[in-house]
């Protein structure tokens, strides 16, 4: 008798051990899944940060420029026009040669010029035009280096890098080292990244044009998607009769929210560009497409906000003799507005991260000029990221990551704004 | 009569509407000796009159915007002498483009005939604007007069204005339906044109995809082949790989967060998952191309396999990461929606937490989870930027995740970026693919939403 019990007890104990081991495994599996998700997020941020942080600084070289009248003042009268037509590239060329004893002005010419950016001549010109008294003097001027020198100074390429993977030779590295030994090499904040439009030269490429394009699209979306979305939500929550048409609208809104974004791009291409003949690459068209794309999201969140307004508020207004329209616009909407605005801002921020629909309507063109109206050809921040990511130049990898950081900061700021607006309104209401 | 710019006209209309609003209010006030004598508030009378001014004006503008460009172009086409058209191999559209460019000041030419035509074009545009101004102003004045005339003490202006507001709200809500109709109609039209050039059977059953058609119609080139099967296979391969990552990770995350995690961990992990969900896909694409693809390559080579630099696995992996938050958040909802008594019952009978989860919670939450997975699958199929940046362009028909494949979305992008003649089979193929993509994702969404709703119905 006792041995039967003993047997059963040990069988139960064994099964319990097994079951508890399985429980532990299951629990660990769950924890592992959470960690995997977090790990990917960490890896993504580490990739972007480690690649992009370098692009916020740019190497500059200090060169002694001999600004001779013969070179920079071709007309000889010191006038603005004459100074603007000067050959500043030659001055820069001689300055590099002079600061590197042992180089031959002719034989090494191409190798020497490869050290500085094409911007160097322009910077000298602007300086001389602003201060014509510099003609005939020696000016010590900081000028941007070429992106290849920048990579070397950052340590992203060095003498061990295979020649196929770098643009500079060892002797050019020696020259940079020689300049650095004299304190003529510094890395400063990369203003070009913030101030310039796109450029074929990585050291001059910036996100300003793309940022402006995104802002225009944001404006178009605010003007179109917000009022239409709120109006639609008000209709569906407050006025719509329960009938087939209303059901159809609701089914449509739910499905549109899940249509792939690229399909909206195809719609925009046919309707806005081919039929309505709106200009290609224009932020207006991009904004229209993104407005259509974000409309369902706005409607859904606005409906939720309107639904959350207590029914007593409506009843009180109606009981005091207000009409339905007066009730909705005078009492329900003001109460729902914080929620609506938060949902709208989050929806719009999402749409501003979209790339695929913009590719369809030609916003991938190379645009160096900063657009001055929503009808000018433009690009957008995510598209700029895509364009730079497609470039084989290693200097553009860092700039891509930097552009991503700008994009993420922009979206983060919008989400923060949404949060703050909600807090502010809630403070008033409570 | 002056020819106003449409924008100016609209601004003028808005200003006039404001004035008429105050005029109407004043008139209403002057009609009743006091406010009591009026059936509606004076402001409603003003608004009524202002609407009668602004709406006709806006409608006139809308009609003009939709048709005037075409009308001007048509009457311009009739004016172009045959000799000029003959110079451009009989293509009148090219001449028209040139004339428009001259008129806009975009280009300059010496040809006097063309310059003359450009001046004609400008004159036609001015004439068209002049007629618009005339018509819009006449309509606005007539409308305002009518609106103001109808103001009487016993006129119920509020009802009319509110009826108008309701109509506007209704129209706004119909935009969603219009968008769907627009998507289906445009895709369908272009797809029908595509099937006029390429047989349906080739598209649906063809095993070869190489859309290299001629850029110009008269160029001698291979016709290209448009078999969509390799694209479909590539899309499915990437989406399957994505689901293989996302379903276990997403589901286990949801289980851990709902069943095991303390409030502290939940408060940290849930916002982080939302961050993961909010990252633009182009960023994932960069991550895929720069970090994940080389990792996959090293991993595959470690196994002694031949790995393409743009492998399906790298793209699928990152698409999977992208949809993890969606699956985990929908599974989370489904799990928390299961009545607590079910879980408590299982635990009270001596089940361990994992047994209660697997045998009781998961079956009860299954519809919600399956629905979430279907919605995530639809998203993975429609995802564009990650695959554009991390998957290849070569249409391989393969099930090997280490090889390069291409997807429908990648091909739509590659067919439509760059200058192409719009009516070519190459361009139209993108719309056929788009329609197909739309239908597949629509079916998955409808199914997913229905399954999710099923669980909610059961719980009531």
């Amino acid at each position: 008798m006792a041995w039967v019990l003993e047997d059963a007890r040990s069988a139960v104990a064994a099964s319990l051990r097994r079951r508890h081991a399985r429980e532990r495994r299951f629990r660990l599996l769950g924890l592992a899944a959470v960690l995997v998700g977090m790990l990917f997020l960490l890896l993504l941020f580490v990739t972007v940060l480690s690649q992009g942080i370098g692009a916020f600084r740019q190497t500059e070289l200090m060169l002694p420029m001999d600004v001779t009248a013969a070179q920079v003042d071709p007309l000889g009268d010191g006038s603005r026009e004459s100074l603007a037509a000067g050959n500043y590239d030659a001055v820069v060329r001689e300055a590099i040669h002079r600061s590197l004893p042992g180089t031959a002005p002719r034989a090494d010419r191409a190798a020497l010029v490869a050290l500085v950016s094409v911007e160097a001549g322009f910077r000298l010109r602007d300086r001389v035009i602003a201060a014509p008294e510099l003609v005939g003097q020696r000016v010590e001027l900081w000028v941007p280096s070429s992106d290849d020198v920048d990579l070397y100074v950052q340590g992203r390429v060095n003498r061990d890098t295979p020649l196929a993977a770098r643009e500079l030779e060892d002797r050019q590295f020696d020259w940079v080292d020689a300049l650095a030994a004299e304190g003529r090499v510094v890395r400063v904040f990369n203003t070009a990244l913030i101030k310039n439009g796109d450029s074929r030269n990585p050291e001059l490429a910036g996100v300003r044009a793309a940022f402006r394009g995104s802002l225009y699209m944001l404006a178009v979306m605010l003007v179109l998607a917000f009022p239409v979305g709120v109006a639609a939500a008000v209709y569906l929550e407050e006025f719509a009769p329960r009938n087939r048409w209303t059901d159809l609208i609701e089914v449509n809104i739910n499905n549109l929210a899940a249509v792939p974004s690229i399909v909206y791009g195809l719609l925009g291409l046919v309707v806005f560009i081919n039929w309505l003949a709106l200009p290609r690459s224009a932020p207006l068209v991009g904004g229209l497409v993104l407005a259509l794309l974000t409309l369902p999201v706005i409607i859904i969140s606005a409906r939720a906000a309107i639904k959350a307004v207590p029914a007593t508020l409506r009843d009180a207004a109606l009981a005091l003799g207000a009409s339905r329209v007066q009730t909705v616009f005078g009492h329900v909407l003001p109460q729902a507005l914080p929620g609506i605005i938060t949902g709208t801002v989050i929806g719009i921020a999402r749409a501003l991260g979209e790339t695929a629909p913009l590719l369809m309507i030609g916003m991938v063109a190379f645009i160096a000029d900063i657009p001055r109206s929503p009808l000018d050809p433009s690009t957008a921040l995510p598209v700029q990221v895509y364009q730079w990511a497609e470039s084989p130049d290693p200097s553009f990898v860092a700039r891509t990551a930097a552009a991503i950081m700008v994009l993420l900061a922009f979206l983060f700021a919008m989400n923060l704004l949404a949060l703050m607006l909600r807090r502010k309104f809630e403070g008033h209401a409570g | 009569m002056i020819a106003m710019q449409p924008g100016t006209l609209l601004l003028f209309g808005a200003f006039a509407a404001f004035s008429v609003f105050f005029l109407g209010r004043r008139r209403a006030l002057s009609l009743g000796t006091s406010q009591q004598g009026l059936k509606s508030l004076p402001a409603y009378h003003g608004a009524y009159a202002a609407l009668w001014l602004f709406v006709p004006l806006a409608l006139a503008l809308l009609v003009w915007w939709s048709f005037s460009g075409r009308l001007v172009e048509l009457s311009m086409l009739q004016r172009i002498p045959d000799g000029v058209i003959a110079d451009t191999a009989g293509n009148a559209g090219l001449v028209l483009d040139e004339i428009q460019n001259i008129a806009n000041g975009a280009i300059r030419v010496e040809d006097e005939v063309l310059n003359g035509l450009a001046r004609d074009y400008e004159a036609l545009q001015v004439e068209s604007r002049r007629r618009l101004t005339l018509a819009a102003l006449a309509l606005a004045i007539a409308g305002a007069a009518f609106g103001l005339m109808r103001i009487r003490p016993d006129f119920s202006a509020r009802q009319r204005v509110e009826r108008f507001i309701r109509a506007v709200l209704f129209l706004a809500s119909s935009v969603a339906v219009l968008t769907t109709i627009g998507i289906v109609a445009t895709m369908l039209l272009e797809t029908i044109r595509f099937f006029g050039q390429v047989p349906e059977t080739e598209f649906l059953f063809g095993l070869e995809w190489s859309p290299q058609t001629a850029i110009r119609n008269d160029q001698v080139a291979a016709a290209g082949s448009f078999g969509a099967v390799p694209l479909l296979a590539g899309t499915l391969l990437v989406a399957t790989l994505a689901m293989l990552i996302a379903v276990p990770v997403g589901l286990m995350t949801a289980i851990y967060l709902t069943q095991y995690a303390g409030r502290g961990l939940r408060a940290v992990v849930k916002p982080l998952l939302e961050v993961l969900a909010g990252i633009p896909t182009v960023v994932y694409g960069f991550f895929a191309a720069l970090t994940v693809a080389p990792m996959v390559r090293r991993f595959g080579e470690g196994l002694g396999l031949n790995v393409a630099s743009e492998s399906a696995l790298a793209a699928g992996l990152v698409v999977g990461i992208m949809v993890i938050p969606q699956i985990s958040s929908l599974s989370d909802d489904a799990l928390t929606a299961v009545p607590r008594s079910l879980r408590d019952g299982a635990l009270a009978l001596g089940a361990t937490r994992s047994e209660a989860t697997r045998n009781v919670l998961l079956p009860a939450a299954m519809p919600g989870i399956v629905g979430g997975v279907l919605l995530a699958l639809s998203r993975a199929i429609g995802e564009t930027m990650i695959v554009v940046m991390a998957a290849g362009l070569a249409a391989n028909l393969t099930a090997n995740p280490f090889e390069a494949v291409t997807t429908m979305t990648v091909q739509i992008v590659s067919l439509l970026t760059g200058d192409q003649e719009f009516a070519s089979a190459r361009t139209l193929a993108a719309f056929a693919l788009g329609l197909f993509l739309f239908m597949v994702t629509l079916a998955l969404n409808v199914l997913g939403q229905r399954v999710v709703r099923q669980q909610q119905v059961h719980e009531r």
Side-chain angles (χ1 to χ4, degrees):
Chain A
M1 200 60 194
W3 61 270
V4 176
L5 246 179
E6 196 54 38
D7 215 30
R9 220 174 255 149
S10 73
V12 167
S15 109
L16 261 185
R17 258 200 311 281
R18 219 169 40 241
R19 285 171 61 201
H20 283 161
R22 202 187 288 161
E23 166 74 17
R24 268 196 305 279
R25 278 204 302 277
F26 190 74
R27 187 178 177 146
L28 277 178
L29 212 62
L31 189 62
V34 173
L35 288 179
V36 164
M38 296 302 104
L39 187 78
F40 280 134
L41 185 64
L42 187 73
L43 196 62
L44 196 147
F45 273 107
V46 167
T47 302
V48 170
L49 282 176
S50 67
Q51 294 287 338
I53 206 84
F56 282 96
R57 291 167 96 62
Q58 157 71 30
T59 303
E60 297 211 336
L61 310 173
M62 185 165 69
L63 299 173
M65 317 267 196
D66 269 340
V67 187
T68 60
Q71 276 168 319
V72 306
D73 194 6
L75 302 178
D77 54 4
S79 68
R80 214 185 149 78
E81 293 73 39
S82 170
L83 289 176
N87 185 356
Y88 295 93
D89 290 341
V91 178
V92 173
R93 218 154 47 222
E94 283 165 22
I96 312 171
H97 164 61
R98 189 174 322 107
S99 50
L100 290 167
T103 53
R106 283 198 186 280
D108 297 332
R109 182 167 163 170
L112 285 170
V113 168
L115 296 185
V116 295
S117 162
V118 291
E119 175 73 5
F122 295 118
R123 194 179 278 191
L124 180 63
R125 185 194 64 188
D126 293 346
R127 183 78 194 278
V128 170
I129 290 176
E133 66 274 11
L134 293 177
V135 178
Q137 292 185 23
R138 167 169 294 190
V139 191
E140 292 280 351
L141 192 64
W142 287 104
V143 292
S145 76
S146 69
D147 60 300
D148 305 314
V149 170
D150 192 46
L151 283 178
Y152 173 65
V153 174
Q154 279 184 68
R156 283 182 184 262
V157 296
N158 54 41
R159 290 175 179 77
D160 299 327
T161 313
L163 275 171
R166 57 172 153 130
E167 297 287 324
L168 299 182
E169 302 163 17
D170 283 355
R171 60 182 182 135
Q172 286 167 303
F173 290 158
D174 294 339
W175 294 340
V176 176
D177 290 343
L179 286 175
E182 290 178 45
R184 290 180 177 276
V185 179
V186 290
R187 298 198 78 220
V188 296
F189 182 72
N190 184 1
T191 46
L193 187 69
I194 306 299
K195 279 167 71 179
N196 289 5
D198 199 2
S199 168
R200 299 279 185 225
N201 297 314
E203 75 273 13
L204 301 179
V207 296
R208 178 96 175 265
F211 190 75
R212 187 72 69 83
S214 281
L215 281 187
Y216 282 133
M217 295 199 303
L218 171 73
V220 173
M221 274 193 280
L222 270 183
V223 169
L224 290 176
F226 180 61
V228 175
V230 173
V234 166
Y235 178 78
L236 290 174
E237 278 303 316
E238 300 285 342
F239 297 107
R242 302 261 355 136
N243 60 19
R244 282 235 184 111
W245 179 252
T246 309
D247 287 346
L248 182 70
I249 292 176
E250 295 201 0
V251 169
N252 260 297
I253 289 170
N254 285 333
N255 284 324
L256 280 179
V259 168
S261 59
I262 193 168
V263 172
Y264 284 93
L266 291 172
L267 174 73
L269 174 63
V270 175
V271 173
F272 298 131
I273 300 206
N274 284 348
W275 291 358
L276 296 181
L278 291 172
R280 274 178 88 88
S281 314
L284 175 70
V285 181
L288 280 168
V289 170
L290 294 186
L292 285 182
L293 183 134
T294 199
L295 198 59
V297 182
I298 294 179
I299 295 177
I300 289 170
S301 69
R303 286 187 71 175
I306 293 171
K307 209 176 260 172
V309 175
T312 47
L313 201 79
R314 269 181 215 102
D315 296 343
L318 290 173
L320 286 173
S323 72
R324 288 209 61 103
V325 173
Q326 285 168 331
T327 306
V328 169
F329 284 90
H331 304 279
V332 177
L333 259 192
Q335 280 291 312
L337 209 55
I340 294 176
I341 289 178
T342 309
T344 305
V345 172
I346 290 172
I348 287 181
R350 263 245 145 125
L352 283 175
E354 281 290 347
T355 318
L358 303 181
L359 300 184
M360 299 292 95
I361 53 164
M363 286 188 87
V364 270
F366 172 79
I367 310 283
D369 294 332
I370 291 156
R372 271 187 275 158
S373 86
L375 286 169
D376 285 345
S378 172
T379 174
L381 272 177
V383 183
Q384 187 75 76
V385 169
Y386 168 64
Q387 280 177 298
W388 285 354
E390 295 291 284
S391 162
D393 192 325
S395 298
F396 268 122
V397 174
R399 269 151 188 87
T400 310
I404 287 177
M405 285 159 76
V406 174
L407 172 66
L408 290 181
F410 181 46
L411 300 186
F412 182 72
M414 283 193 68
N415 279 297
L416 204 66
L417 180 80
L419 211 69
M420 275 163 49
L421 281 173
R422 182 156 62 185
R423 287 265 160 80
K424 187 164 181 262
F425 280 115
E426 273 173 357
H428 278 297
Chain B
M1 194 71 217
I2 30 139
M4 274 199 248
Q5 293 289 344
T8 324
L9 203 58
L10 201 66
L11 219 63
F12 173 79
F15 181 73
F18 253 107
S19 319
V20 166
F21 169 77
F22 287 109
L23 214 68
R25 204 174 65 155
R26 196 122 157 248
R27 188 172 144 82
L29 273 174
S30 72
L31 279 174
T33 43
S34 71
Q35 222 165 291
Q36 267 70 33
L38 289 168
K39 204 168 176 191
S40 294
L41 290 172
Y44 280 109
H45 288 282
Y48 179 76
L51 282 178
W52 264 108
L53 180 146
F54 193 73
V55 173
L57 184 132
L59 284 179
L61 262 172
L62 205 66
V63 170
W64 181 82
W65 249 316
S66 333
F67 298 109
S68 77
R70 284 284 141 80
L71 282 180
V72 168
E73 281 180 5
L74 277 181
S75 68
M76 198 62 221
L77 278 176
Q78 288 169 352
R79 290 181 187 218
I80 301 175
D82 292 342
V84 179
I85 294 178
D87 290 347
T88 56
N91 192 337
L94 282 180
V95 182
L96 191 64
D97 275 350
E98 202 173 357
I99 291 170
Q100 282 169 336
N101 279 330
I102 300 169
N104 295 337
I107 55 168
R108 264 188 213 164
V109 292
E110 297 296 318
D111 190 337
E112 246 331 289
V113 182
L114 279 178
N115 279 330
L117 284 169
R119 276 194 296 277
D120 283 357
Y121 180 73
E122 270 178 86
L124 275 176
Q125 278 185 318
V126 171
E127 174 63 24
S128 145
R129 279 207 298 275
R130 204 179 65 83
R131 286 188 192 166
L132 164 74
T133 312
L134 211 63
L137 287 184
L139 278 172
I141 291 169
F146 176 74
L148 286 171
M149 296 266 286
R150 288 196 73 180
I151 296 175
R152 294 264 183 280
D154 61 344
F155 178 63
S156 40
R158 180 172 62 77
Q159 269 80 345
R160 313 285 170 130
V161 172
E162 291 191 346
R163 208 178 297 157
F164 175 79
I165 291 176
R166 280 176 188 229
V168 169
L169 294 181
F170 173 75
L171 281 180
S173 72
S174 308
V175 169
V177 180
L178 285 181
T179 309
T180 309
I181 294 174
I183 289 175
V184 174
T186 54
M187 302 278 153
L188 214 54
L189 278 177
E190 305 298 332
T191 305
I192 289 168
R193 282 171 74 191
F194 173 69
F195 284 138
Q197 298 183 22
V198 175
E200 291 89 336
T201 46
E202 182 188 338
F203 182 73
L204 290 177
F205 305 112
L207 297 182
E208 187 146 345
W209 176 268
S210 59
Q212 271 77 36
T213 45
I215 291 175
R216 283 208 325 272
N217 272 340
D218 50 352
Q219 215 168 310
V220 188
S225 45
F226 293 93
V229 173
L231 309 189
L232 194 60
T235 308
L236 279 181
L237 180 60
V238 171
T240 309
L241 290 168
M243 288 297 123
L244 285 180
I245 300 291
V247 172
V249 174
L251 185 57
M252 282 312 287
T253 300
I255 289 175
Y256 190 80
L257 288 181
T258 52
Q259 305 302 319
Y260 293 102
R263 195 174 292 169
L265 187 69
R266 250 178 103 87
V268 174
V269 172
K270 288 205 100 182
L272 284 178
L273 282 174
E274 272 173 42
V275 170
L276 203 58
I279 290 173
T281 54
V282 70
V283 178
Y284 280 109
F286 174 74
F287 177 62
L290 199 75
T291 308
V292 179
M295 265 166 48
V296 166
R297 205 182 152 90
R298 273 198 297 278
F299 169 74
E301 277 164 359
L303 295 178
L305 292 166
N306 196 7
V307 183
S309 63
E310 296 182 316
S311 60
L313 183 57
L317 190 66
V318 178
V319 175
I321 297 172
M322 182 198 76
V323 294
I324 285 174
Q326 195 178 6
I327 291 190
S328 84
S329 110
L330 287 172
S331 306
D332 198 319
D333 292 348
L335 285 168
T336 37
V338 176
R340 218 190 145 75
S341 55
L342 279 180
R343 190 183 72 162
D344 290 349
L347 291 177
L349 287 174
T352 62
R353 273 183 182 248
S354 65
E355 283 163 352
T357 306
R358 270 185 308 209
N359 301 331
V360 179
L361 276 181
L362 277 186
M366 203 37 92
I369 294 170
V370 171
V373 170
L374 287 177
L375 294 178
L377 179 65
S378 137
R379 219 173 137 212
I381 287 175
E383 171 47 39
T384 308
M385 290 323 288
I386 298 175
V387 279
V388 165
M389 292 164 85
L393 277 171
N396 292 326
L397 190 54
T398 174
N400 178 357
F402 290 108
E403 269 188 64
V405 295
T406 191
T407 69
M408 295 194 282
T409 48
V410 172
Q411 288 305 317
I412 294 175
V413 168
S414 89
L415 291 172
L416 285 183
T417 45
D419 283 326
Q420 290 293 329
E421 193 178 326
F422 193 75
S424 74
R426 200 183 133 91
T427 317
L428 293 175
F431 289 93
L433 288 175
L435 183 66
F436 198 63
L437 187 68
F438 177 73
M439 292 193 310
V440 170
T441 51
L442 185 71
L444 284 171
N445 292 331
V446 171
L447 201 65
Q449 280 167 8
R450 186 162 294 177
V451 178
V452 170
R453 220 173 298 133
Q454 208 175 8
Q455 185 191 354
Q456 290 163 356
V457 170
H458 278 306
E459 267 146 29
R460 284 210 186 108

